[in-house]
Amino acid sequence: MDAELRYDARGLIPAVVQDATTGAVLMVAWMNAAALRLTQASGEAHFWSRSRGALWHKGATSGNVQRVREIRYDCDGDTLLLLVDPAGPACHTGAMSCFYRTLAVGQAGDEGV
Amino acid sequence: MDAELRYDARGLIPAVVQDATTGAVLMVAWMNAAALRLTQASGEAHFWSRSRGALWHKGATSGNVQRVREIRYDCDGDTLLLLVDPAGPACHTGAMSCFYRTLAVGQAGDEGV
């Protein structure tokens, strides 16, 4: 129920997208209420593009749609988790996941990567 | 290198926390630059509590620290992904993951959950 969700001051909520099969975290994007409703109704991930200020059907151009198996939300209702079957890479770089770079751990932060 | 990261107007960046072994997405929290440096230096997850306006060493009270194996960041540098070994439940409710509730998919959004 949308009433349990807490959108931020911009009317947005972050959505973590995870590959339902591999468990890989693919990307994080933002939804507004309309994007969530479109996602629920169509079964394909829709987001709100903050840079373009427009609804965004993931994969509409690239073909790399994300079929949504499950939508979860967290204990305080301010983050979503989508379990998806991706038709192709999540990242505009062609990487399967947007999280393909690492920072150093276990040393002073200034030396991070 | 912190220079590749994009903090928001509040100086914060969202961090997705994933169990390095099971792949479960445990929680999403926020970091500022100091929390990230503490995390890198100590190897245990530190966040910025927006509600308390203070640095937060996850598990300092409960004992459920999160040992950080890897920190990744996404293609546009505005989200972090921590791969962790959790000493116990991530959620204040006692659940292993904060994402223990689901919304309906494949029907009109108004009927969600």
Side-chain angles (χ1 to χ4, degrees), chain A residues 15-31:
Chain A
V16 179
V17 181
Q18 183 176 32
D19 187 308
T21 302
T22 69
V25 172
L26 302 175
M27 57 183 280
V28 173
W30 295 80
M31 286 188 174

Side-chain angles (χ1 to χ4, degrees), chain A residues 4-67:
Chain A
E4 297 196 51
L5 297 182
R6 288 166 49 198
Y7 295 88
D8 70 12
R10 302 164 299 179
L12 302 179
I13 189 168
V16 179
V17 181
Q18 183 176 32
D19 187 308
T21 302
T22 69
V25 172
L26 302 175
M27 57 183 280
V28 173
W30 295 80
M31 286 188 174
N32 60 8
L36 176 58
R37 275 193 291 274
L38 281 168
T39 299
Q40 290 181 286
S42 69
E44 292 188 348
H46 290 67
F47 304 103
W48 176 258
S49 168
R50 293 173 301 166
S51 55
R52 289 184 286 114
L55 284 168
W56 163 37
H57 178 193
K58 171 72 179 167
T61 305
S62 66
N64 298 328
V65 297
Q66 296 172 333
R67 192 81 205 157

Side-chain angles (χ1 to χ4, degrees), chain B residues 5-97:
Chain B
L5 297 182
R6 288 166 51 197
Y7 295 88
D8 69 13
R10 302 165 299 179
L12 301 179
I13 188 168
V16 179
V17 181
Q18 183 176 31
D19 187 308
T21 303
T22 68
V25 173
L26 302 175
M27 56 185 280
V28 173
W30 294 81
M31 287 188 173
N32 59 9
L36 176 57
R37 274 193 291 273
L38 282 168
T39 300
Q40 290 181 286
S42 68
E44 292 188 348
H46 290 67
F47 304 103
W48 176 258
S49 168
R50 293 173 301 168
S51 56
R52 289 185 286 114
L55 284 168
W56 163 37
H57 177 194
K58 171 72 180 168
T61 304
S62 65
N64 297 328
V65 296
Q66 296 172 332
R67 192 82 205 156
V68 178
R69 281 204 218 170
E70 199 170 317
I71 304 175
R72 297 186 192 163
Y73 60 108
D74 72 350
C75 53
D76 52 5
D78 66 359
T79 312
L80 299 173
L81 172 63
L82 276 61
L83 299 182
V84 307
D85 296 311
C91 190
H92 71 285
T93 62
M96 273 309 289
S97 165

